[in-house]
Amino acid sequence: MHKRVSLKKRHPRVQTVVMVHRPVPATKRTSWMTITIRHAAPSDLASIQAISDAAYGVYVAAMGQKPGPMLADYGAHLADDAVLVAVDSGGPVRGYAVMLDRPDGFWLENIAVDPAAQGQGIGSSLIDAVEDWFRGRTDHYRLYTNVKMTANIAWYSRAGFVETGRAMANGFHRVYFEKQISPTPDDK
């Protein structure tokens, strides 16, 4: 059973429903679409891979190689890990998040939004849903990104993540972040 998630503190036009249900401007001053965040199904695999390729493909030239998310085995993530997708009212997957429970802690392994839908609050909605999933399991979680992904680094900082270090790992120059999860009123 899903807990109800309220995003009203950060997003005043959000409705409270199971998981996340949020009106998002589809285009400036035109129509609205409704975003629902749910657990991914095997049928979402192609959409997740396509979003990964589109969202991270812009970094190939700067990095001189494909970013890690473009090389990920999303089929294995769907089978072994927690994967959420943001789906608009018309049905297409607009974003996804992959969460890991590993011996060294909880990780947001990957989060991406279709470039055509970026800037509409979908990433923030995914983060809220990710934190709802982590809440009760841990009081913090970590992620990393590439040093060349400066827009992502800035976005994570604005979203409340704190940089904890930088290191080379698996051929990638990574920037590590951590974020504390605030308890819900029911958890206090």
Side-chain angles (χ1 to χ4, degrees):
M1 183 170 170
H2 297 294
K3 288 174 63 177
R4 295 179 72 78
V5 177
S6 174
L7 307 178
K8 289 183 181 178
K9 286 184 266 176
R10 287 181 31 198
H11 308 290
R13 292 188 287 187
V14 173
Q15 303 170 19
T16 303
V17 298
V18 175
M19 289 304 285
V20 176
H21 180 101
R22 135 191 285 238
V24 179
T27 59
K28 293 181 182 177
R29 295 185 210 148
T30 59
S31 61
W32 290 83
M33 66 178 160
T34 300
I35 294 295
T36 301
I37 296 179
R38 62 169 170 76
H39 287 276
S43 60
D44 297 318
L45 179 59
S47 296
I48 291 169
Q49 186 65 61
I51 291 169
S52 174
D53 291 347
Y56 292 104
V58 299
Y59 295 108
V60 173
M63 293 174 57
Q65 62 181 332
K66 285 184 175 183
M70 292 179 73
L71 305 171
D73 182 349
Y74 292 104
H77 282 307
L78 287 169
D80 301 333
D81 302 309
V83 181
L84 299 175
V85 290
V87 182
D88 83 12
S89 55
V93 174
R94 298 295 186 182
Y96 68 89
V98 178
M99 293 92 65
L100 307 179
D101 177 3
R102 297 293 185 253
D104 64 341
F106 289 91
W107 290 86
L108 174 54
E109 174 69 6
N110 189 352
I111 182 170
V113 174
D114 180 344
Q118 290 177 357
Q120 300 177 30
I122 296 169
S124 295
S125 292
L126 279 164
I127 288 291
D128 289 333
V130 163
E131 290 179 3
D132 187 56
W133 188 86
F134 281 135
R135 196 172 281 110
R137 292 174 170 89
T138 185
D139 62 354
H140 70 282
Y141 64 106
R142 295 180 282 173
L143 63 81
Y144 56 84
T145 191
N146 191 282
V147 70
K148 299 282 187 181
M149 297 181 181
T150 57
N152 293 2
I153 292 169
W155 189 84
Y156 292 133
S157 295
R158 287 191 310 273
F161 291 86
V162 176
E163 184 176 330
T164 60
R166 295 179 179 223
M168 286 295 293
N170 300 322
F172 298 102
H173 190 177
R174 292 180 175 166
V175 181
Y176 292 86
F177 288 89
E178 184 173 290
K179 186 174 182 186
Q180 297 295 315
I181 300 172
S182 55
T184 63
D186 296 339
D187 296 336
K188 291 182 181 178

